[in-house]
Each structure stands twice: as C-alpha cells, then as structure tokens.
Amino acid sequence: MRYRVPDLPAAQWQVTDIEVEKSQFITWLCHAPDIDAFSALLEAARATHPNASHHCTAYIAGPPGEQTRIGFSDDGEPGGTAGRPMYQVLQGSQLGEIGGVVIRYFGGTKLGTGGLARAYAQAVSHALESLPTREVIERDAYHLRLSFANEAIARTWCSEQSIPVEQVDYDGNGAQLTIGWPRDQVFDISPLENRLKCTLDFSLVNTPAS
C-alpha cells in the first residue's frame, strides 16, 4: 500500500489559524505514526494555549482506512460538532498517520451546532491546504544471500529499482542483504538473477521492513 503522510519531523507541527464570527480557531497538525505522537501534539497544544476555550482533536494513527487507531474528541463543545467533523476532513484527505488539534478562543458570538461543525471542518481543511506531505510505501523484508562477488551488482540493481537495502550481514560464505520489497508488488528478482547469471537464495522475513 502506498499513501501520503505529513512530512513533519517528530515533535514538530504545522500551525494555522482562521477566524469565524470573532472566534479564533488555531489548528495544529502532526505526523502521527502512533497514538503517542498524537498525544505529544495534544500535550504541547494544551501547554501553549492553557486558557483556550476548547482543544478539540482527531487523529488517524495508521494508513488511510485505519479502523482501530483512530479517535476524536469535542472537548466540551456540543456533541458531534467538533471532533467528528475534524475526523471526517482528515479521513476525506486520504492521508495517513495524521493528528490534529483545533484550539478555539471564543469570540462572544455563538455559532450554533451547524456553524460549529462547519468552522471546525474549515479549520482543518485550511490547514491541510499548506501541509507538506511525503509518500509512504509499505514494504516486506526479504533476505537475499549472495557471494561476495555479486554483492555490489545486487546493491546497484536494488538502487536502480528504488528498493532499499535495510541491512547487510557477512559470514564466510558471502553477504546477506535485507531488502524492503514494496508490498503492493509481486516479489520477483528474476531480473537480478538474469543479470548475475545465477539463481539466488532468498526468504521472507517475519518483521516488515521499515
């Protein structure tokens, strides 16, 4: 599976804001490969804005379509007017591993339930417009066992195919490359075998490549 995620370093976030009927809505977005990354975002947002009226949240700590590592909260706003609209915008973006906090400073004008839902959705949509992203390719790890003479050729071939070499181990018989094969492609190293003019010994590793 290939999908896009926020291109933000750990413990860094994008901050944007909009104003709706004199209320300020400040959106913080982060890369959230796990729930702990989102929790760090929320903690930082609360520490930076301790006097805000609300800190509403939504996150998807997995690929698009993730059903387990998800969540949202209205943080005191009327039920269904903040967290769920935020989550729906994140879900509709087709981004994965993303978390968001919208901080509201009440401006004195009540927006009503429909107005609140639109404002929180708008705040997240506005933030997504300028969010840098990068592609994630889910990969499976394979071991390739090679002679010393064939290692350099295999590394060159992997580089040409944009297949990362995650690790190299050596013993008296040669080298073992651990490569990250794209999960959405059928594993096929016959082109490399043709280049080397030999049959390669390979095996799938239980732990996926990072």
Side-chain angles (χ1 to χ4, degrees):
M1 183 176 185
R2 299 168 186 245
Y3 57 93
R4 302 198 72 80
V5 302
D7 188 14
L8 297 170
Q12 292 190 25
W13 12 86
Q14 174 182 277
V15 180
T16 60
D17 67 273
I18 63 171
E19 185 176 304
V20 179
E21 296 293 338
K22 298 183 180 179
S23 282
Q24 187 179 18
F25 293 83
I26 305 169
T27 304
W28 289 32
L29 295 180
C30 76
H31 179 212
D34 51 49
I35 296 175
D36 287 344
F38 165 74
S39 297
L41 169 74
L42 177 57
E43 182 179 352
R46 284 175 169 164
T48 304
H49 296 275
N51 299 319
S53 305
H54 306 278
H55 300 82
C56 303
T57 62
Y59 66 87
I60 301 170
E66 171 70 30
Q67 298 296 311
T68 303
R69 293 171 295 166
I70 61 173
F72 48 84
S73 169
D74 297 313
D75 191 37
E77 293 281 30
T81 64
R84 182 175 290 277
M86 292 170 57
Y87 172 75
Q88 289 172 336
V89 173
L90 295 182
Q91 188 179 43
S93 73
Q94 292 302 304
L95 294 175
E97 302 177 8
I98 184 168
V101 178
V102 176
I103 302 147
R104 182 190 181 195
Y105 285 94
F106 181 56
T109 301
K110 294 184 178 180
L111 302 179
T113 55
L116 280 172
R118 286 189 295 273
Y120 278 100
Q122 180 186 350
V124 176
S125 295
H126 175 70
L128 289 174
E129 290 176 0
S130 56
L131 179 69
T133 63
R134 60 180 174 83
E135 185 178 56
V136 165
I137 302 174
E138 293 184 331
R139 298 178 183 273
D140 289 316
Y142 282 84
H143 285 159
L144 295 183
R145 281 168 286 280
L146 304 145
S147 67
F148 291 116
N150 286 337
E151 179 193 353
I153 299 172
R155 282 176 174 268
T156 298
W157 182 84
C158 287
S159 177
E160 292 170 354
Q161 308 304 314
S162 298
I163 297 170
V165 176
E166 307 286 348
Q167 184 175 325
V168 183
D169 297 292
Y170 299 97
D171 60 22
N173 297 316
Q176 176 177 272
L177 306 187
T178 302
I179 64 172
W181 192 271
R183 194 169 297 165
D184 59 357
Q185 294 181 11
V186 175
F187 183 77
D188 179 16
I189 56 168
S190 58
L192 175 59
E193 291 177 322
N194 291 337
R195 184 177 295 188
L196 295 173
K197 296 180 173 57
C198 70
T199 299
L200 293 176
D201 184 13
F202 64 86
S203 61
L204 175 66
V205 183
N206 289 330
T207 304
S210 57

